Amino acid sequence: SQAGNILVIAPISKTAGVAATLTLTASNDITIGAAGDIQGFSGTGLSVTLNANGDFDGAGNISVDGSIITDSGDIVMTATGGTIFVSGPLNTSNALNGGGDVTLTADAGITINGAVTTTGDAGGAVSLIANANADEEVLVSLKNLLLF
């Protein structure tokens, strides 16, 4: 979209092949719309990396309304100077390979209203990192977390 933003409004699917990584880097904001599901169903994993404020000039926010399902791939989101808001599910589960890791890093807050699931042979790690100046408070809110 305009002004260095990325808007995903249609599904992105990986259904075959070896493990892969999908990386989206925006100068400003990244929005995954409700119909913009990102899914990897190949048995080998699709890692997903979202980088907002990739030019480090101002703030970048990440908003995820659709689902991100990686089939053992990792999910990494970085919102430099901004916030991360997740209402859709994040799922890194794979019964044979174990769940991938989920790492969310934001300078101004993280809110998760969707489920975070990292199950399988070994569940992945979940890291929520809220960076702030020493005189600021940063909100990290988590509604639903399932680890096995």
Side-chain angles (χ1 to χ4, degrees):
S1 67
Q2 298 177 12
N5 298 317
I6 295 174
L7 173 62
V8 179
I9 57 174
I12 298 172
S13 296
K14 176 186 178 293
T15 58
V18 299
T21 300
L22 170 68
T23 301
L24 302 179
T25 300
S27 293
N28 293 309
D29 300 335
I30 298 174
T31 301
I32 309 298
D37 298 328
I38 299 173
Q39 301 175 340
F41 291 115
S42 63
T44 58
L46 171 66
S47 292
V48 176
T49 301
L50 306 178
N51 297 310
N53 190 24
D55 63 358
F56 302 104
D57 182 22
N61 300 298
I62 298 173
S63 177
V64 179
D65 294 322
S67 63
I68 299 179
I69 301 171
T70 65
D71 196 19
S72 79
D74 296 334
I75 298 172
V76 177
M77 297 183 202
T78 304
T80 303
T83 62
I84 296 174
F85 178 80
V86 178
S87 63
L90 304 179
N91 187 331
T92 65
S93 300
N94 179 293
L96 299 176
N97 299 325
D101 296 337
V102 176
T103 305
L104 308 182
T105 304
D107 291 334
I110 300 169
T111 301
I112 301 173
N113 290 330
V116 177
T117 308
T118 65
T119 62
D121 181 43
V126 175
S127 301
L128 305 176
I129 304 161
N131 299 320
N133 296 328
D135 60 343
E136 294 178 352
E137 289 184 21
V138 175
L139 172 66
V140 175
S141 170
L142 182 63
K143 184 175 183 181
N144 213 349
L145 176 63
L146 180 60
L147 302 171
F148 285 98

